[in-house]
Amino acid sequence: MSGFGYSPKPLLDLDLLKGARKDLEQVGYPPRPDEKSTRERKLWDSIASRHPKQQQTTPITFAPHVARDGSSPLASQSWSGGVLPVRAEVYSSTEVKPLSEKPFGHVYGSWIIPNLRPQLKADQPVDGVYELYNWVGLDGWETNETVKIGILLELTVESGKVTNHESSILVIFRRPQDPNFSAVKLDGLPVAPGDVVTGFVGPSSSGKSLAWFINESTNTWTSYVVNFELPGRSAEWITTGQGPSDQGSNPFPNYGATVFFEGFAAQGAEVTKGIERSLLSNAVTVDGSAERGHSILARASSALRVSAST
């Protein structure tokens, strides 16, 4: 996996608010937005003014749990959230804004990490492996290549008892020539349910892409550089996952809801689109849904309990 990317090293005494673009790039920090991108610049300034600490992390190869039917949650259609493709914007039945040919250069998104819980059957936790993913990313909607960064929640139940419950930062990517996804955990920066987090995916140096992540609750951040660039045909704010089932399908685990906010996707230096313009997508094979205001609410609509008769 080391040939796919790397974690940038800290640069001592770097002032994020005053740092030159080349210094921010060297440590793997998102570039300072143009002042004309008012909402995005406000978010960037708000985070940088807190002087967050860069945490060196170690990338560790991660393989998602494979379901009984051989499927992986990373390739599943069971996901909910918002996708913003490069497209014409319809304001009314007669007014259509011309299609912008500019690709998305980067994407931001913030959310609160939900808490993962097992399904219940006859008031007892259902044995098995549960995984939940929250991410922001670029591409993968109409292209093969993609980079996403977010949270992985893992829970294991054995003999009716929880034996493992952990949270990790996860980078997911697929190169243009690859048939399957790859993923790495960024080990060394703790995250937990209830933390407010923000992710970013965008360009690094020429021919590379940056996946950046901050835990705003602990004021620490880290990043990972992937060794390929993205076409920028779509931006994403997504929740997906899987849990065990007696029927062989893999419904969402119980997680309450994920609310994505402060979502921005930039087309060029001066055009930033908000998460409220994204297309909503509901899970295909499970009862997961997405709702939109100025944020996106992704949740599992299925009942918290599995029928005792199944």
Side-chain angles (χ1 to χ4, degrees):
M1 194 67 68
S2 60
F4 292 170
Y6 61 91
S7 294
K9 295 182 178 180
L11 184 64
L12 296 179
D13 301 322
L14 175 62
D15 187 333
L16 297 174
L17 289 170
K18 300 178 181 179
R21 185 183 181 95
K22 63 178 181 62
D23 292 332
L24 295 176
E25 182 178 292
Q26 181 179 339
V27 299
Y29 200 87
R32 189 177 295 104
D34 190 280
E35 291 184 355
K36 294 182 179 179
S37 299
T38 308
R39 293 169 59 196
E40 184 185 345
R41 180 60 180 266
K42 183 178 179 181
L43 172 66
W44 195 96
D45 286 345
S46 172
I47 293 175
S49 66
R50 301 173 215 158
H51 305 289
K53 179 182 178 181
Q54 181 180 5
Q55 180 65 51
Q56 183 72 34
T57 51
T58 302
I60 299 174
T61 301
F62 170 76
H65 179 72
V66 177
R68 294 181 183 180
D69 61 3
S71 63
S72 164
L74 300 184
S76 171
Q77 294 185 347
S78 295
W79 53 269
S80 298
V83 177
L84 183 59
V86 174
R87 57 182 168 83
E89 296 178 11
V90 179
Y91 293 92
S92 69
S93 59
T94 59
E95 183 184 4
V96 179
K97 186 176 181 180
L99 177 67
S100 172
E101 294 297 331
K102 291 183 178 180
F104 290 115
H106 62 257
V107 61
Y108 276 98
S110 303
W111 68 100
I112 298 173
I113 301 176
N115 194 15
L116 183 60
R117 297 180 183 277
Q119 300 162 6
L120 299 178
K121 181 177 180 180
D123 293 326
Q124 294 296 316
V126 177
D127 285 358
V129 176
Y130 301 77
E131 293 178 349
L132 184 74
Y133 303 78
N134 303 141
W135 71 60
V136 299
L138 285 180
D139 292 307
W141 175 251
E142 297 174 329
T143 63
N144 189 68
E145 59 266 57
T146 183
V147 176
K148 321 167 192 292
I149 190 165
I151 290 293
L152 165 66
L153 302 175
E154 299 173 273
L155 186 151
T156 303
V157 178
E158 297 176 315
S159 300
K161 296 183 178 180
V162 175
T163 59
N164 178 60
H165 196 178
E166 59 182 277
S167 310
S168 309
I169 302 169
L170 192 70
V171 181
I172 304 163
F173 51 94
R174 186 171 58 192
R175 299 177 299 174
Q177 69 274 24
D178 288 344
N180 300 315
F181 288 97
S182 299
V184 293
K185 289 182 178 180
L186 300 185
D187 184 56
L189 196 163
V191 288
D195 288 346
V196 179
V197 299
T198 297
F200 166 94
V201 173
S204 181
S205 55
S206 178
K208 299 179 181 180
S209 300
L210 172 66
W212 172 88
F213 185 94
I214 182 170
N215 185 340
E216 297 190 45
S217 297
T218 60
N219 207 33
T220 50
W221 64 272
T222 192
S223 59
Y224 185 77
V225 175
V226 184
N227 292 324
F228 62 89
E229 58 187 344
L230 295 165
R233 301 305 300 174
S234 63
E236 306 173 349
W237 301 268
I238 301 296
T239 291
T240 189
Q242 65 179 6
S245 171
D246 291 342
Q247 304 303 317
S249 61
N250 291 274
F252 274 155
N254 301 325
Y255 66 93
T258 299
V259 180
F260 292 99
F261 54 95
E262 299 287 16
F264 308 108
Q267 287 181 293
E270 300 178 6
V271 181
T272 300
K273 295 184 177 180
I275 193 173
E276 67 274 7
R277 297 190 182 187
S278 62
L279 304 173
L280 295 184
S281 183
N282 296 328
V284 174
T285 58
V286 298
D287 193 13
S289 63
E291 302 172 12
R292 178 178 55 229
H294 288 287
S295 60
I296 289 181
L297 171 67
R299 59 185 175 186
S301 300
S302 57
L304 297 182
R305 297 175 182 272
V306 178
S307 171
S309 62
T310 60

